[in-house]
Amino acid sequence: MSAGHIAVTTPVPDEPVIVCETPQDECGVRDVLDRLGDKWSVYVVVELASGIRRFKELQRAIPGSISQRMLTLTVRRLERDGLVKRTVYPTVPPQVEYELTEMGHSLTHLVKALADWSIAHRPAIAASHAAWDAAHTEPTTTA
């Protein structure tokens, strides 16, 4: 939230969803957006919502060919945030499994709501893009 924006309100008048004491406080929104605003975290949360996954299973299940390094960084960040639990089994080679914590599971309904909103509004967004692009594209002339 930028300076000067201290509340996000619902359609219900005088009933704020988020109220920050100061613009610098940001109500913790920046931390959540930093984590979930990154492309891979949402994919990891979505995949782990259906159950425990080993590292390679998780890597194969995520669309977009996530690299081993990026997946490692992503699950570490999610683990640090308390959203993912990492379990290492003393085998050779070590077997590692990932699962959502209770807090991680509590996030899945929000991710689903965002996905549902995206699907419902995809045609309107595409139409808006087309209209904006048409209005802001320089006509080409041939000499």
Side-chain angles (χ1 to χ4, degrees), residues 28-114:
V29 172
R30 182 174 303 272
D31 293 337
V32 172
L33 289 177
D34 285 347
R35 182 63 50 243
L36 296 179
D38 98 59
K39 172 181 178 177
W40 301 116
S41 292
V42 173
Y43 283 128
V44 170
V45 169
V46 166
E47 185 56 33
L48 291 178
S50 59
I52 297 170
R53 296 286 183 268
R54 291 176 65 182
F55 187 87
K56 284 295 184 185
E57 290 174 322
L58 190 55
Q59 187 177 21
R60 283 190 295 268
I62 295 173
S65 301
I66 186 171
S67 69
Q68 182 174 336
R69 182 183 186 312
M70 184 53 66
L71 181 55
T72 299
L73 290 172
T74 301
V75 293
R76 280 184 186 164
R77 289 177 187 142
L78 291 169
E79 184 181 10
R80 182 174 182 254
D81 289 342
L83 301 174
V84 168
K85 178 184 172 194
R86 178 178 183 260
T87 304
V88 180
Y89 295 96
T91 59
V92 178
Q95 180 180 336
V96 181
E97 292 181 337
Y98 297 91
E99 64 184 304
L100 289 179
T101 62
E102 187 176 331
M103 185 167 53
H105 276 290
S106 73
L107 181 65
T108 60
H109 77 281
L110 298 173
V111 172
K112 183 182 181 327
L114 184 59

